[in-house]
């Protein structure tokens, strides 16, 4: 079906509007964009939902836009899960609108602390995610972010690395299956060297595994160990209350230009 069942939609709206207090919910069968539009229409009116899981609803870029715009006015939502929902049927205009809506959501008065937006074969944002990562740099609300599975490549990782250099709020990050290779890990390592807040980092083992098959495999392991070292440094600093800033960081930043990428040996 291309639309949401009217009876189901009315029942869902009534239930969500009546709920009070902390709630963890999984909403299924939203039926693409109409479901996202319906939910976004009542987002600011919902007062009792602190965590909302909308995974695998095929909302599409338009549906995600509607949800994010609606919940930008929420006074209670703290954790939003949008895994496997980005699918563009109308080209780059709708994709750009969805990214803008995500940026608006994390910049609004909504008390959102955690955002999970895992991609996949049909829902990878690729480098379209870059503007969102740029906005992440100055964000002061999100503490948890999962952007795994978007295939953003080293260009996306560079934007992420630049963001974590200056972001002081994000404490947990997941970013596997983004096609990160040695150069990408180098960018991220530089960003982590300047970062003081990330204490939980889900290491991107699938990307690490693929990178190790390239000519720079040994170097990849060295860089990954440095990244782990900086995460541990931040964790210790948080526990002891001491500054985690290194005296060697100020002169090194993530570059603006991508260097040549080593190729997989034949």
């Amino acid at each position: 079906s291309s639309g949401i069942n009217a009876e189901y939609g009315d029942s869902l709206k009534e239930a969500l509007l009546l709920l009070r207090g902390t709630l963890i919910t999984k909403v299924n069968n939203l039926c693409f964009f109409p479901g996202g539009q319906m939910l976004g229409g009542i987002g600011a009116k919902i007062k009792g939902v602190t965590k909302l899981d909308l995974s695998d609803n095929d909302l599409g870029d338009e549906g995600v836009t509607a949800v994010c715009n609606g919940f930008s006015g929420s006074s209670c939502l703290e954790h939003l899960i949008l895994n496997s929902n980005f699918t563009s049927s109308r080209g780059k205009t709708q994709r750009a609108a969805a990214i803008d809506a995500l940026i608006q959501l994390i910049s609004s008065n909504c008390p959102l602390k955690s955002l999970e937006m895992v991609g996949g074969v049909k829902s990878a944002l690729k480098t379209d995610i870059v503007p969102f990562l740029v906005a992440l740099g100055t964000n002061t609300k999100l503490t948890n972010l999962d952007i795994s599975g978007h295939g953003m490549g080293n260009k996306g990782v560079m934007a992420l690395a630049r963001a974590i250099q200056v972001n002081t709020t994000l404490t947990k990050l997941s970013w596997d299956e983004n096609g990160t290779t040695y150069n990408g890990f180098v960018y991220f390592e530089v960003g982590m060297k300047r970062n003081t807040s990330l204490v939980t980092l889900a290491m991107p083992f699938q990307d690490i595994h693929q990178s190790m098959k390239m000519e720079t495999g040994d170097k990849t392991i060295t860089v990954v160990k440095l990244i782990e070292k900086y995460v541990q440094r931040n964790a210790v600093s948080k526990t002891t209350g001491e500054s985690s800033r290194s005296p060697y960081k100020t002169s090194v930043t993530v570059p603006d230009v991508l260097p040549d990428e080593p190729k997989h040996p034949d």
Side-chain angles (χ1 to χ4, degrees), residues 85-133:
N85 273 299
F86 292 93
T87 51
S88 179
S89 60
R90 298 190 181 180
K92 289 191 172 294
T93 300
Q94 293 302 328
R95 174 57 51 83
I99 298 300
D100 286 344
L102 280 167
I103 295 172
Q104 177 184 327
L105 176 63
I106 66 171
S107 306
S108 69
N109 291 326
C110 175
L112 191 69
K113 298 177 181 179
S114 177
L115 177 61
E116 297 178 38
M117 39 187 277
V118 177
V121 176
K122 296 181 179 180
S123 57
L125 291 172
K126 304 293 185 179
T127 54
D128 290 338
I129 197 175
V130 167
F132 172 81
L133 298 176

mmCIF file of all heavy atoms in Angstrom, residues 85-133:
data_model
loop_
_atom_site.group_PDB
_atom_site.id
_atom_site.type_symbol
_atom_site.label_atom_id
_atom_site.label_comp_id
_atom_site.label_asym_id
_atom_site.label_seq_id
_atom_site.Cartn_x
_atom_site.Cartn_y
_atom_site.Cartn_z
ATOM 1 N N ASN A 85 15.687 4.363 6.585
ATOM 2 C CA ASN A 85 14.502 5.116 6.142
ATOM 3 C C ASN A 85 14.778 6.074 4.991
ATOM 4 O O ASN A 85 13.840 6.592 4.389
ATOM 5 C CB ASN A 85 13.912 5.910 7.313
ATOM 6 C CG ASN A 85 12.928 5.095 8.124
ATOM 7 O OD1 ASN A 85 11.906 4.646 7.618
ATOM 8 N ND2 ASN A 85 13.250 4.880 9.393
ATOM 9 N N PHE A 86 16.050 6.316 4.680
ATOM 10 C CA PHE A 86 16.367 7.269 3.620
ATOM 11 C C PHE A 86 16.309 6.608 2.253
ATOM 12 O O PHE A 86 17.157 5.796 1.903
ATOM 13 C CB PHE A 86 17.759 7.859 3.823
ATOM 14 C CG PHE A 86 17.872 8.751 5.019
ATOM 15 C CD1 PHE A 86 18.295 8.238 6.240
ATOM 16 C CD2 PHE A 86 17.557 10.092 4.934
ATOM 17 C CE1 PHE A 86 18.402 9.055 7.348
ATOM 18 C CE2 PHE A 86 17.667 10.922 6.038
ATOM 19 C CZ PHE A 86 18.093 10.399 7.251
ATOM 20 N N THR A 87 15.302 6.935 1.490
ATOM 21 C CA THR A 87 15.222 6.496 0.097
ATOM 22 C C THR A 87 14.646 7.650 -0.702
ATOM 23 O O THR A 87 13.565 8.143 -0.407
ATOM 24 C CB THR A 87 14.306 5.266 -0.074
ATOM 25 O OG1 THR A 87 13.039 5.516 0.547
ATOM 26 C CG2 THR A 87 14.937 4.035 0.558
ATOM 27 N N SER A 88 15.384 8.085 -1.686
ATOM 28 C CA SER A 88 14.962 9.257 -2.457
ATOM 29 C C SER A 88 14.249 8.853 -3.736
ATOM 30 O O SER A 88 14.786 8.117 -4.546
ATOM 31 C CB SER A 88 16.172 10.126 -2.799
ATOM 32 O OG SER A 88 15.796 11.246 -3.549
ATOM 33 N N SER A 89 13.017 9.309 -3.902
ATOM 34 C CA SER A 89 12.256 9.011 -5.110
ATOM 35 C C SER A 89 12.134 10.223 -6.021
ATOM 36 O O SER A 89 11.677 10.124 -7.141
ATOM 37 C CB SER A 89 10.844 8.526 -4.727
ATOM 38 O OG SER A 89 10.169 9.521 -3.986
ATOM 39 N N ARG A 90 12.545 11.393 -5.526
ATOM 40 C CA ARG A 90 12.403 12.614 -6.320
ATOM 41 C C ARG A 90 13.727 13.365 -6.487
ATOM 42 O O ARG A 90 13.745 14.561 -6.707
ATOM 43 C CB ARG A 90 11.362 13.527 -5.669
ATOM 44 C CG ARG A 90 9.981 12.903 -5.608
ATOM 45 C CD ARG A 90 8.939 13.908 -5.188
ATOM 46 N NE ARG A 90 7.616 13.318 -5.103
ATOM 47 C CZ ARG A 90 6.535 13.982 -4.763
ATOM 48 N NH1 ARG A 90 6.598 15.275 -4.513
ATOM 49 N NH2 ARG A 90 5.368 13.370 -4.692
ATOM 50 N N GLY A 91 14.822 12.639 -6.355
ATOM 51 C CA GLY A 91 16.112 13.237 -6.639
ATOM 52 C C GLY A 91 16.708 14.050 -5.511
ATOM 53 O O GLY A 91 16.302 13.961 -4.357
ATOM 54 N N LYS A 92 17.687 14.875 -5.870
ATOM 55 C CA LYS A 92 18.496 15.575 -4.881
ATOM 56 C C LYS A 92 17.738 16.648 -4.102
ATOM 57 O O LYS A 92 18.138 17.014 -3.005
ATOM 58 C CB LYS A 92 19.713 16.199 -5.571
ATOM 59 C CG LYS A 92 20.743 15.155 -6.012
ATOM 60 C CD LYS A 92 22.030 15.818 -6.427
ATOM 61 C CE LYS A 92 23.120 14.778 -6.686
ATOM 62 N NZ LYS A 92 23.505 14.072 -5.446
ATOM 63 N N THR A 93 16.661 17.171 -4.665
ATOM 64 C CA THR A 93 15.904 18.199 -3.947
ATOM 65 C C THR A 93 15.345 17.658 -2.645
ATOM 66 O O THR A 93 15.476 18.291 -1.581
ATOM 67 C CB THR A 93 14.750 18.735 -4.817
ATOM 68 O OG1 THR A 93 15.286 19.304 -6.012
ATOM 69 C CG2 THR A 93 13.965 19.804 -4.054
ATOM 70 N N GLN A 94 14.725 16.486 -2.697
ATOM 71 C CA GLN A 94 14.165 15.883 -1.489
ATOM 72 C C GLN A 94 15.259 15.428 -0.541
ATOM 73 O O GLN A 94 15.100 15.497 0.671
ATOM 74 C CB GLN A 94 13.249 14.714 -1.860
ATOM 75 C CG GLN A 94 11.980 15.116 -2.589
ATOM 76 C CD GLN A 94 11.139 16.087 -1.777
ATOM 77 O OE1 GLN A 94 11.107 16.045 -0.553
ATOM 78 N NE2 GLN A 94 10.463 16.994 -2.474
ATOM 79 N N ARG A 95 16.376 14.942 -1.083
ATOM 80 C CA ARG A 95 17.482 14.532 -0.223
ATOM 81 C C ARG A 95 18.056 15.721 0.531
ATOM 82 O O ARG A 95 18.308 15.646 1.744
ATOM 83 C CB ARG A 95 18.557 13.844 -1.086
ATOM 84 C CG ARG A 95 19.858 13.481 -0.369
ATOM 85 C CD ARG A 95 19.665 12.587 0.838
ATOM 86 N NE ARG A 95 18.880 11.407 0.583
ATOM 87 C CZ ARG A 95 19.357 10.273 0.054
ATOM 88 N NH1 ARG A 95 20.615 10.186 -0.301
ATOM 89 N NH2 ARG A 95 18.555 9.233 -0.096
ATOM 90 N N ALA A 96 18.250 16.821 -0.157
ATOM 91 C CA ALA A 96 18.776 18.022 0.485
ATOM 92 C C ALA A 96 17.816 18.529 1.558
ATOM 93 O O ALA A 96 18.237 18.986 2.630
ATOM 94 C CB ALA A 96 19.019 19.114 -0.553
ATOM 95 N N ALA A 97 16.514 18.429 1.292
ATOM 96 C CA ALA A 97 15.509 18.864 2.266
ATOM 97 C C ALA A 97 15.558 17.986 3.513
ATOM 98 O O ALA A 97 15.398 18.481 4.636
ATOM 99 C CB ALA A 97 14.116 18.818 1.644
ATOM 100 N N ALA A 98 15.791 16.690 3.336
ATOM 101 C CA ALA A 98 15.875 15.777 4.470
ATOM 102 C C ALA A 98 17.091 16.092 5.337
ATOM 103 O O ALA A 98 17.015 16.092 6.570
ATOM 104 C CB ALA A 98 15.931 14.326 3.979
ATOM 105 N N ILE A 99 18.223 16.375 4.697
ATOM 106 C CA ILE A 99 19.433 16.730 5.444
ATOM 107 C C ILE A 99 19.229 18.044 6.184
ATOM 108 O O ILE A 99 19.610 18.189 7.354
ATOM 109 C CB ILE A 99 20.642 16.829 4.492
ATOM 110 C CG1 ILE A 99 20.911 15.475 3.816
ATOM 111 C CG2 ILE A 99 21.876 17.300 5.253
ATOM 112 C CD1 ILE A 99 21.218 14.351 4.767
ATOM 113 N N ASP A 100 18.608 19.015 5.529
ATOM 114 C CA ASP A 100 18.326 20.301 6.177
ATOM 115 C C ASP A 100 17.411 20.113 7.387
ATOM 116 O O ASP A 100 17.591 20.771 8.423
ATOM 117 C CB ASP A 100 17.661 21.270 5.193
ATOM 118 C CG ASP A 100 18.646 21.815 4.169
ATOM 119 O OD1 ASP A 100 19.865 21.689 4.393
ATOM 120 O OD2 ASP A 100 18.191 22.367 3.147
ATOM 121 N N ALA A 101 16.431 19.204 7.255
ATOM 122 C CA ALA A 101 15.509 18.950 8.362
ATOM 123 C C ALA A 101 16.232 18.300 9.540
ATOM 124 O O ALA A 101 15.940 18.605 10.711
ATOM 125 C CB ALA A 101 14.362 18.056 7.891
ATOM 126 N N LEU A 102 17.184 17.410 9.256
ATOM 127 C CA LEU A 102 17.990 16.806 10.316
ATOM 128 C C LEU A 102 18.809 17.864 11.044
ATOM 129 O O LEU A 102 18.901 17.857 12.279
ATOM 130 C CB LEU A 102 18.927 15.747 9.727
ATOM 131 C CG LEU A 102 18.335 14.376 9.429
ATOM 132 C CD1 LEU A 102 19.294 13.566 8.563
ATOM 133 C CD2 LEU A 102 18.021 13.626 10.719
ATOM 134 N N ILE A 103 19.397 18.767 10.281
ATOM 135 C CA ILE A 103 20.194 19.843 10.874
ATOM 136 C C ILE A 103 19.308 20.734 11.738
ATOM 137 O O ILE A 103 19.693 21.136 12.846
ATOM 138 C CB ILE A 103 20.882 20.670 9.772
ATOM 139 C CG1 ILE A 103 21.903 19.805 9.031
ATOM 140 C CG2 ILE A 103 21.547 21.915 10.361
ATOM 141 C CD1 ILE A 103 22.499 20.480 7.800
ATOM 142 N N GLN A 104 18.117 21.042 11.236
ATOM 143 C CA GLN A 104 17.180 21.864 12.003
ATOM 144 C C GLN A 104 16.791 21.160 13.302
ATOM 145 O O GLN A 104 16.702 21.793 14.360
ATOM 146 C CB GLN A 104 15.927 22.135 11.188
ATOM 147 C CG GLN A 104 14.857 22.926 11.948
ATOM 148 C CD GLN A 104 13.574 23.110 11.142
ATOM 149 O OE1 GLN A 104 13.620 23.225 9.928
ATOM 150 N NE2 GLN A 104 12.439 23.136 11.821
ATOM 151 N N LEU A 105 16.571 19.848 13.221
ATOM 152 C CA LEU A 105 16.174 19.095 14.409
ATOM 153 C C LEU A 105 17.231 19.148 15.497
ATOM 154 O O LEU A 105 16.917 19.404 16.663
ATOM 155 C CB LEU A 105 15.897 17.637 14.023
ATOM 156 C CG LEU A 105 15.546 16.689 15.184
ATOM 157 C CD1 LEU A 105 14.255 17.123 15.866
ATOM 158 C CD2 LEU A 105 15.444 15.251 14.678
ATOM 159 N N ILE A 106 18.496 18.906 15.144
ATOM 160 C CA ILE A 106 19.548 18.880 16.169
ATOM 161 C C ILE A 106 19.926 20.288 16.630
ATOM 162 O O ILE A 106 20.642 20.446 17.625
ATOM 163 C CB ILE A 106 20.801 18.129 15.686
ATOM 164 C CG1 ILE A 106 21.484 18.870 14.540
ATOM 165 C CG2 ILE A 106 20.453 16.700 15.292
ATOM 166 C CD1 ILE A 106 22.849 18.286 14.153
ATOM 167 N N SER A 107 19.431 21.300 15.909
ATOM 168 C CA SER A 107 19.718 22.692 16.284
ATOM 169 C C SER A 107 18.538 23.363 16.973
ATOM 170 O O SER A 107 18.657 24.497 17.427
ATOM 171 C CB SER A 107 20.092 23.507 15.033
ATOM 172 O OG SER A 107 21.142 22.908 14.312
ATOM 173 N N SER A 108 17.412 22.659 17.039
ATOM 174 C CA SER A 108 16.184 23.245 17.588
ATOM 175 C C SER A 108 16.151 23.153 19.109
ATOM 176 O O SER A 108 17.105 22.716 19.748
ATOM 177 C CB SER A 108 14.969 22.497 17.012
ATOM 178 O OG SER A 108 14.920 21.166 17.526
ATOM 179 N N ASN A 109 15.016 23.541 19.684
ATOM 180 C CA ASN A 109 14.842 23.442 21.128
ATOM 181 C C ASN A 109 14.434 22.049 21.581
ATOM 182 O O ASN A 109 14.269 21.801 22.777
ATOM 183 C CB ASN A 109 13.785 24.448 21.601
ATOM 184 C CG ASN A 109 14.263 25.880 21.477
ATOM 185 O OD1 ASN A 109 15.453 26.161 21.657
ATOM 186 N ND2 ASN A 109 13.361 26.793 21.154
ATOM 187 N N CYS A 110 14.262 21.133 20.634
ATOM 188 C CA CYS A 110 13.969 19.747 20.988
ATOM 189 C C CYS A 110 15.120 19.200 21.830
ATOM 190 O O CYS A 110 16.290 19.360 21.464
ATOM 191 C CB CYS A 110 13.811 18.905 19.716
ATOM 192 S SG CYS A 110 13.596 17.133 20.012
ATOM 193 N N PRO A 111 14.833 18.535 22.959
ATOM 194 C CA PRO A 111 15.894 18.056 23.858
ATOM 195 C C PRO A 111 16.580 16.777 23.379
ATOM 196 O O PRO A 111 16.994 15.944 24.176
ATOM 197 C CB PRO A 111 15.131 17.817 25.168
ATOM 198 C CG PRO A 111 13.762 17.419 24.728
ATOM 199 C CD PRO A 111 13.482 18.283 23.514
ATOM 200 N N LEU A 112 16.720 16.606 22.069
ATOM 201 C CA LEU A 112 17.284 15.393 21.494
ATOM 202 C C LEU A 112 18.753 15.222 21.898
ATOM 203 O O LEU A 112 19.573 16.104 21.691
ATOM 204 C CB LEU A 112 17.179 15.451 19.967
ATOM 205 C CG LEU A 112 17.491 14.158 19.223
ATOM 206 C CD1 LEU A 112 16.400 13.115 19.484
ATOM 207 C CD2 LEU A 112 17.612 14.423 17.725
ATOM 208 N N LYS A 113 19.053 14.044 22.454
ATOM 209 C CA LYS A 113 20.415 13.730 22.873
ATOM 210 C C LYS A 113 21.027 12.608 22.038
ATOM 211 O O LYS A 113 22.248 12.520 21.923
ATOM 212 C CB LYS A 113 20.434 13.328 24.349
ATOM 213 C CG LYS A 113 19.977 14.400 25.314
ATOM 214 C CD LYS A 113 19.979 13.871 26.736
ATOM 215 C CE LYS A 113 19.496 14.921 27.737
ATOM 216 N NZ LYS A 113 19.469 14.372 29.129
ATOM 217 N N SER A 114 20.175 11.740 21.507
ATOM 218 C CA SER A 114 20.659 10.564 20.800
ATOM 219 C C SER A 114 19.965 10.412 19.452
ATOM 220 O O SER A 114 18.735 10.471 19.371
ATOM 221 C CB SER A 114 20.415 9.303 21.653
ATOM 222 O OG SER A 114 20.803 8.135 20.964
ATOM 223 N N LEU A 115 20.761 10.237 18.392
ATOM 224 C CA LEU A 115 20.218 10.074 17.044
ATOM 225 C C LEU A 115 20.891 8.888 16.370
ATOM 226 O O LEU A 115 22.113 8.849 16.234
ATOM 227 C CB LEU A 115 20.456 11.339 16.226
ATOM 228 C CG LEU A 115 20.017 11.307 14.757
ATOM 229 C CD1 LEU A 115 18.510 11.081 14.655
ATOM 230 C CD2 LEU A 115 20.412 12.605 14.052
ATOM 231 N N GLU A 116 20.084 7.914 15.980
ATOM 232 C CA GLU A 116 20.587 6.760 15.242
ATOM 233 C C GLU A 116 19.980 6.796 13.852
ATOM 234 O O GLU A 116 18.762 6.791 13.699
ATOM 235 C CB GLU A 116 20.209 5.461 15.963
ATOM 236 C CG GLU A 116 20.828 5.334 17.342
ATOM 237 C CD GLU A 116 20.404 4.058 18.051
ATOM 238 O OE1 GLU A 116 20.297 3.016 17.368
ATOM 239 O OE2 GLU A 116 20.158 4.114 19.272
ATOM 240 N N MET A 117 20.830 6.828 12.841
ATOM 241 C CA MET A 117 20.361 6.911 11.463
ATOM 242 C C MET A 117 21.224 6.012 10.574
ATOM 243 O O MET A 117 21.874 6.475 9.625
ATOM 244 C CB MET A 117 20.364 8.360 10.969
ATOM 245 C CG MET A 117 21.538 9.191 11.433
ATOM 246 S SD MET A 117 21.408 10.929 10.992
ATOM 247 C CE MET A 117 22.032 10.898 9.311
ATOM 248 N N VAL A 118 21.224 4.731 10.909
ATOM 249 C CA VAL A 118 22.015 3.746 10.178
ATOM 250 C C VAL A 118 21.476 3.598 8.758
ATOM 251 O O VAL A 118 20.264 3.530 8.550
ATOM 252 C CB VAL A 118 21.974 2.380 10.899
ATOM 253 C CG1 VAL A 118 22.740 1.319 10.108
ATOM 254 C CG2 VAL A 118 22.549 2.510 12.311
ATOM 255 N N GLY A 119 22.372 3.557 7.792
ATOM 256 C CA GLY A 119 21.985 3.401 6.406
ATOM 257 C C GLY A 119 22.004 1.940 5.990
ATOM 258 O O GLY A 119 21.979 1.035 6.820
ATOM 259 N N GLY A 120 22.060 1.696 4.712
ATOM 260 C CA GLY A 120 22.072 0.340 4.185
ATOM 261 C C GLY A 120 22.147 0.391 2.674
ATOM 262 O O GLY A 120 22.363 1.460 2.083
ATOM 263 N N VAL A 121 21.974 -0.744 2.039
ATOM 264 C CA VAL A 121 22.081 -0.820 0.586
ATOM 265 C C VAL A 121 21.131 0.158 -0.099
ATOM 266 O O VAL A 121 21.489 0.840 -1.067
ATOM 267 C CB VAL A 121 21.792 -2.256 0.097
ATOM 268 C CG1 VAL A 121 21.806 -2.303 -1.429
ATOM 269 C CG2 VAL A 121 22.809 -3.226 0.672
ATOM 270 N N LYS A 122 19.890 0.250 0.393
ATOM 271 C CA LYS A 122 18.883 1.102 -0.232
ATOM 272 C C LYS A 122 18.729 2.461 0.460
ATOM 273 O O LYS A 122 17.946 3.292 0.002
ATOM 274 C CB LYS A 122 17.535 0.386 -0.248
ATOM 275 C CG LYS A 122 17.512 -0.884 -1.088
ATOM 276 C CD LYS A 122 16.129 -1.506 -1.072
ATOM 277 C CE LYS A 122 16.077 -2.764 -1.917
ATOM 278 N NZ LYS A 122 14.715 -3.386 -1.903
ATOM 279 N N SER A 123 19.427 2.659 1.561
ATOM 280 C CA SER A 123 19.206 3.890 2.325
ATOM 281 C C SER A 123 20.499 4.598 2.709
ATOM 282 O O SER A 123 20.545 5.328 3.697
ATOM 283 C CB SER A 123 18.386 3.591 3.582
ATOM 284 O OG SER A 123 19.033 2.607 4.379
ATOM 285 N N ALA A 124 21.565 4.380 1.938
ATOM 286 C CA ALA A 124 22.835 5.051 2.218
ATOM 287 C C ALA A 124 22.804 6.492 1.712
ATOM 288 O O ALA A 124 22.379 6.762 0.594
ATOM 289 C CB ALA A 124 23.981 4.295 1.554
ATOM 290 N N LEU A 125 23.243 7.399 2.546
ATOM 291 C CA LEU A 125 23.250 8.816 2.173
ATOM 292 C C LEU A 125 24.466 9.214 1.342
ATOM 293 O O LEU A 125 24.479 10.291 0.738
ATOM 294 C CB LEU A 125 23.204 9.682 3.436
ATOM 295 C CG LEU A 125 21.889 9.652 4.220
ATOM 296 C CD1 LEU A 125 22.047 10.386 5.545
ATOM 297 C CD2 LEU A 125 20.769 10.263 3.403
ATOM 298 N N LYS A 126 25.500 8.365 1.332
ATOM 299 C CA LYS A 126 26.745 8.677 0.623
ATOM 300 C C LYS A 126 27.272 10.038 1.107
ATOM 301 O O LYS A 126 27.154 10.371 2.265
ATOM 302 C CB LYS A 126 26.510 8.662 -0.886
ATOM 303 C CG LYS A 126 25.938 7.360 -1.417
ATOM 304 C CD LYS A 126 26.911 6.206 -1.296
ATOM 305 C CE LYS A 126 26.361 4.943 -1.941
ATOM 306 N NZ LYS A 126 27.313 3.811 -1.845
ATOM 307 N N THR A 127 27.799 10.843 0.205
ATOM 308 C CA THR A 127 28.359 12.137 0.617
ATOM 309 C C THR A 127 27.281 13.196 0.852
ATOM 310 O O THR A 127 27.602 14.314 1.271
ATOM 311 C CB THR A 127 29.363 12.661 -0.432
ATOM 312 O OG1 THR A 127 28.736 12.699 -1.716
ATOM 313 C CG2 THR A 127 30.582 11.752 -0.501
ATOM 314 N N ASP A 128 26.024 12.849 0.622
ATOM 315 C CA ASP A 128 24.943 13.792 0.933
ATOM 316 C C ASP A 128 24.888 14.095 2.425
ATOM 317 O O ASP A 128 24.285 15.090 2.845
ATOM 318 C CB ASP A 128 23.587 13.216 0.493
ATOM 319 C CG ASP A 128 23.441 13.160 -1.019
ATOM 320 O OD1 ASP A 128 24.152 13.922 -1.712
ATOM 321 O OD2 ASP A 128 22.631 12.359 -1.519
ATOM 322 N N ILE A 129 25.528 13.241 3.221
ATOM 323 C CA ILE A 129 25.515 13.420 4.675
ATOM 324 C C ILE A 129 26.459 14.525 5.140
ATOM 325 O O ILE A 129 26.380 14.996 6.276
ATOM 326 C CB ILE A 129 25.883 12.090 5.382
ATOM 327 C CG1 ILE A 129 25.470 12.119 6.855
ATOM 328 C CG2 ILE A 129 27.384 11.801 5.247
ATOM 329 C CD1 ILE A 129 25.703 10.795 7.577
ATOM 330 N N VAL A 130 27.347 14.978 4.258
ATOM 331 C CA VAL A 130 28.393 15.934 4.646
ATOM 332 C C VAL A 130 27.856 17.210 5.312
ATOM 333 O O VAL A 130 28.381 17.637 6.357
ATOM 334 C CB VAL A 130 29.293 16.275 3.440
ATOM 335 C CG1 VAL A 130 30.180 17.488 3.744
ATOM 336 C CG2 VAL A 130 30.166 15.071 3.088
ATOM 337 N N PRO A 131 26.821 17.882 4.770
ATOM 338 C CA PRO A 131 26.319 19.091 5.451
ATOM 339 C C PRO A 131 25.873 18.822 6.892
ATOM 340 O O PRO A 131 26.060 19.675 7.766
ATOM 341 C CB PRO A 131 25.133 19.528 4.574
ATOM 342 C CG PRO A 131 25.464 18.990 3.221
ATOM 343 C CD PRO A 131 26.115 17.660 3.478
ATOM 344 N N PHE A 132 25.300 17.658 7.128
ATOM 345 C CA PHE A 132 24.892 17.307 8.489
ATOM 346 C C PHE A 132 26.123 17.193 9.387
ATOM 347 O O PHE A 132 26.114 17.662 10.528
ATOM 348 C CB PHE A 132 24.129 15.983 8.492
ATOM 349 C CG PHE A 132 23.837 15.445 9.871
ATOM 350 C CD1 PHE A 132 22.755 15.929 10.602
ATOM 351 C CD2 PHE A 132 24.643 14.471 10.435
ATOM 352 C CE1 PHE A 132 22.491 15.448 11.883
ATOM 353 C CE2 PHE A 132 24.395 13.981 11.715
ATOM 354 C CZ PHE A 132 23.308 14.474 12.437
ATOM 355 N N LEU A 133 27.191 16.594 8.875
ATOM 356 C CA LEU A 133 28.416 16.434 9.659
ATOM 357 C C LEU A 133 29.071 17.775 9.936
ATOM 358 O O LEU A 133 29.646 17.982 11.005
ATOM 359 C CB LEU A 133 29.382 15.504 8.928
ATOM 360 C CG LEU A 133 28.879 14.075 8.714
ATOM 361 C CD1 LEU A 133 29.872 13.277 7.890
ATOM 362 C CD2 LEU A 133 28.610 13.391 10.054
#
